[in-house]
Amino acid sequence: MANNVAGQLLVYALLLFFMVVVVFLSYALILHTEQTQMWSTIKDRGAMRTMPNGTTNYWYYITVQCDLKRVPIHYPNRIIFTNESKSFSLRVTRFICTETPYEVSELLQCKTVLRRNKPTFLNLTVHIPQVLNTLYFQVKTYYRLNDYQAFPIDILMEVCSYLSKPSEDIFSRHLLSVFFVTIPHMLYYCPHGNTTYRASFWLEDKFFPKSMPAGDYRMDVWFRDELNKTILAYQAYFSVRRMGVWRSLIEW
């Protein structure tokens, strides 16, 4: 008799356990389905940046922000700079943001910070509302004679494709090394944008070739979107003073 009661209790316990499992799985499935449907509705609402009447569609920015995946780039031992002394010294006198105001971004801060016996900083804050899957970066360098003349340091690259597969040419390797040193928190695979960027950028001797002619320079920098609209542009004014015997005009 006792064995029969124990057996029945075991059967009831097993049935109760299976019922709890079934109820839990059913609840989880219903919850997952509701969340999927809700997210699908939100994505449908946020498919367009503007509403049919031309007003801003704020659902667009919610869906974009949720979809963005910030994946840092990973290239071990990419920094190529050394601490060996150069035959010159470099001093930045000022940074100036140019072409403002921008059509596709909002410049919130652009400030030159002079520091005693340390590199001059450019403190930047810029808000970029759009999502960027194509981003062009351009650098032109000028040497001052009577006026500024083009100098053979000229770079134009598409950032997204470059970060996914970096080039091995000498200018590109130096450029990525500069970014790793100065703005490592901003080095991640595309998409970029839809956020506010804050950076402190600077120039120093080791970012440049082994040999540089003495004189005054200007470096023009642009970030542009796929429609060639300027997102950010600035100029860096700096001087180079020789500390040794004149060698070549420029040596990497």
Side-chain angles (χ1 to χ4, degrees):
M1 183 69 178
N3 291 336
N4 290 336
V5 173
Q8 289 179 349
L9 290 175
L10 178 61
V11 171
Y12 291 149
L14 290 174
L15 288 175
L16 180 61
F17 172 76
F18 286 124
M19 288 179 61
V20 171
V21 170
V22 170
V23 170
F24 174 78
L25 291 177
S26 299
Y27 174 76
L29 181 61
I30 293 172
L31 184 62
H32 175 73
T33 302
E34 290 179 347
Q35 289 179 339
T36 302
Q37 291 175 345
M38 181 178 65
W39 178 237
S40 178
T41 301
I42 292 175
K43 292 185 70 174
D44 290 340
R45 290 180 179 178
M48 301 296 293
R49 186 176 298 181
T50 57
M51 303 292 285
N53 61 2
T55 59
T56 301
N57 180 13
Y58 294 102
W59 286 105
Y60 170 83
Y61 297 99
I62 295 175
T63 57
V64 166
Q65 182 64 42
C66 293
D67 281 341
L68 286 180
K69 306 296 182 183
R70 308 296 190 188
V71 181
I73 66 173
H74 180 66
Y75 297 111
N77 304 318
R78 190 67 183 182
I79 298 177
I80 62 175
F81 302 131
T82 65
N83 291 323
E84 65 181 24
S85 60
K86 297 290 181 70
S87 60
F88 61 88
S89 63
L90 181 143
R91 179 64 177 172
V92 175
T93 55
R94 68 186 186 278
F95 292 98
I96 299 176
C97 289
T98 59
E99 302 183 18
T100 57
Y102 306 122
E103 181 180 349
V104 293
S105 63
E106 181 182 4
L107 182 63
L108 302 175
Q109 183 187 40
C110 178
K111 183 179 181 181
T112 300
V113 181
L114 298 173
R115 305 188 303 162
R116 184 183 297 274
N117 299 323
K118 292 182 180 180
T120 299
F121 270 4
L122 170 61
N123 286 345
L124 279 172
T125 304
V126 58
H127 177 65
I128 305 175
Q130 69 185 95
V131 177
L132 300 171
N133 288 293
T134 302
L135 176 62
Y136 292 100
F137 175 80
Q138 185 175 14
V139 177
K140 287 182 175 290
T141 307
Y142 301 88
Y143 182 79
R144 185 176 181 179
L145 295 173
N146 293 326
D147 55 3
Y148 286 101
Q149 305 291 328
F151 192 74
I153 298 180
D154 193 343
I155 299 173
L156 175 61
M157 62 188 298
E158 199 284 299
V159 174
C160 293
S161 59
Y162 175 74
L163 292 181
S164 63
K165 189 177 181 181
S167 171
E168 291 300 324
D169 70 87
I170 189 167
F171 286 158
S172 296
R173 287 190 293 110
H174 268 74
L175 179 63
L176 188 56
S177 296
V178 171
F179 286 167
F180 266 118
V181 172
T182 57
I183 51 171
H185 62 289
M186 295 171 60
L187 292 182
Y188 51 83
Y189 297 104
C190 291
H192 269 264
N194 191 41
T195 190
T196 298
Y197 293 93
R198 296 175 177 84
S200 293
F201 181 77
W202 70 92
L203 296 173
E204 57 180 291
D205 302 358
K206 66 181 180 181
F207 296 168
F208 288 82
K210 294 179 181 179
S211 177
M212 289 280 290
D216 296 323
Y217 293 80
R218 191 188 82 212
M219 182 177 290
D220 294 2
V221 179
W222 296 268
F223 291 88
R224 298 188 178 99
D225 66 8
E226 60 183 342
L227 299 178
N228 203 37
K229 294 182 178 180
T230 300
I231 298 171
L232 174 67
Y234 67 85
Q235 294 176 335
Y237 292 83
F238 60 94
S239 59
V240 171
R241 299 292 177 260
R242 301 289 300 183
M243 297 190 301
V245 178
W246 177 275
R247 292 189 291 179
S248 63
L249 177 66
I250 181 171
E251 178 184 351
W252 291 88

